[in-house]
Amino acid sequence: MQFEPWIEERVLARQGVLHPYDRLDAATTAFVIVDLQNYYTQPGFQGECAPARAIFGQVNQLAAALRAKGGTVVWIKTSADGADQFWSHHHRHMLTPERSARRLLELGSGHAGFAMPPALDVQPGDLTVVKRCYSALAPGASDLDAVLKARGVRTVLIGGTVTNVCCESTARDAMMLDYATIMVDDALAAVTPYEHVHSLNNWMLFFGDVLTVDEVVTRLG
């Protein structure tokens, strides 16, 4: 991703280099792929982010490259089971009754919306973590932090959808928990290009690095 000069200047002033990670140790790196379920990627579902379908190839490419070098691939899935209770403010005040009901239905763990599209290369050795809200690392949202720590993960690569909501929320919490965190530009998708770029600009300014799939693979050696 090409950043505007003023963003690069501020990043350089803060940390001395634009991209701080010259090499990535695959053994301590996880590719955390957020919410590429049918509900968020396929036509007909309420949460569809149509641009997400265009990143499937890049997601598969990076997952395969990391697996081949001994890294960890984690697929994050959102479940709305019981969300009208544990996330009641969101469902009562931030969604219309119709949208709330549809989210509870289509993101239920027994619904087709919860499943992963067959075009994604989910392998038996990959990990799957189910989360309850935007960030997989928010308190009580999932056991992702424990899963990563058990694998000795210190670097987290973030892909999936949508860039500026669940992906950015999870990435921010990863950074706060002291993981080196990289948003993978072409393995992320938002509803509009503006939202995608705005999110990554802000991420670069304050939170971590932004690289492409090819740039990540190069750093994996």
Side-chain angles (χ1 to χ4, degrees):
M1 179 171 172
Q2 183 65 50
F3 293 96
E4 294 186 34
W6 67 269
I7 294 177
E8 294 190 359
E9 289 170 9
R10 283 179 54 181
V11 172
L12 288 168
R14 175 172 55 80
Q15 64 189 28
V17 293
L18 190 61
H19 301 291
Y21 313 116
D22 293 328
R23 293 179 61 82
L24 298 173
D25 176 15
T28 60
T29 297
F31 184 24
V32 176
I33 307 156
V34 180
D35 286 352
L36 290 183
Q37 298 154 263
N38 288 330
Y39 178 80
Y40 294 108
T41 66
Q42 298 304 304
F45 291 98
Q46 176 173 261
E48 180 196 2
C49 172
R53 294 191 290 275
I55 66 169
F56 285 6
Q58 291 93 315
V59 168
N60 289 340
Q61 177 189 345
L62 182 51
L66 189 57
R67 282 190 210 102
K69 294 185 177 295
T72 299
V73 176
V74 185
W75 301 88
I76 304 294
K77 301 174 71 176
T78 294
S79 171
D81 292 348
D84 54 336
Q85 299 300 314
F86 68 75
W87 212 13
S88 59
H89 178 271
H90 180 68
H91 272 270
R92 291 175 189 169
H93 300 286
M94 301 187 70
L95 298 173
T96 66
E98 295 76 17
R99 293 187 70 85
S100 173
R102 192 170 171 190
R103 182 179 188 274
L104 292 168
L105 173 66
E106 294 182 350
L107 263 185
S109 58
H111 195 278
F114 181 75
M116 303 296 287
L120 289 169
D121 183 24
V122 182
Q123 291 293 308
D126 296 346
L127 305 177
T128 298
V129 170
V130 177
K131 68 179 175 72
R132 305 204 308 172
C133 58
Y134 287 163
S135 170
L137 290 167
S142 81
D143 62 351
L144 177 60
D145 187 40
V147 166
L148 297 177
K149 284 183 167 58
R151 292 290 186 107
V153 171
R154 295 195 294 272
T155 300
V156 173
L157 312 170
I158 300 288
T161 199
V162 295
T163 308
N164 54 313
V165 186
C166 294
C167 298
E168 183 178 344
S169 297
T170 300
R172 286 193 184 204
D173 284 342
M175 180 268 189
M176 303 297 181
L177 291 170
D178 210 31
Y179 293 97
T181 310
I182 299 166
M183 297 279 270
V184 186
D185 174 24
D186 51 345
L188 291 158
V191 176
T192 65
Y194 173 83
E195 292 168 275
H196 177 80
V197 171
H198 179 77
S199 176
L200 294 185
N201 283 343
N202 196 56
W203 173 262
M204 190 73 170
L205 281 168
F206 297 105
F207 297 101
D209 204 3
V210 177
L211 298 172
T212 65
V213 167
D214 286 344
E215 288 170 336
V216 171
V217 172
T218 297
R219 284 162 172 77
L220 288 169

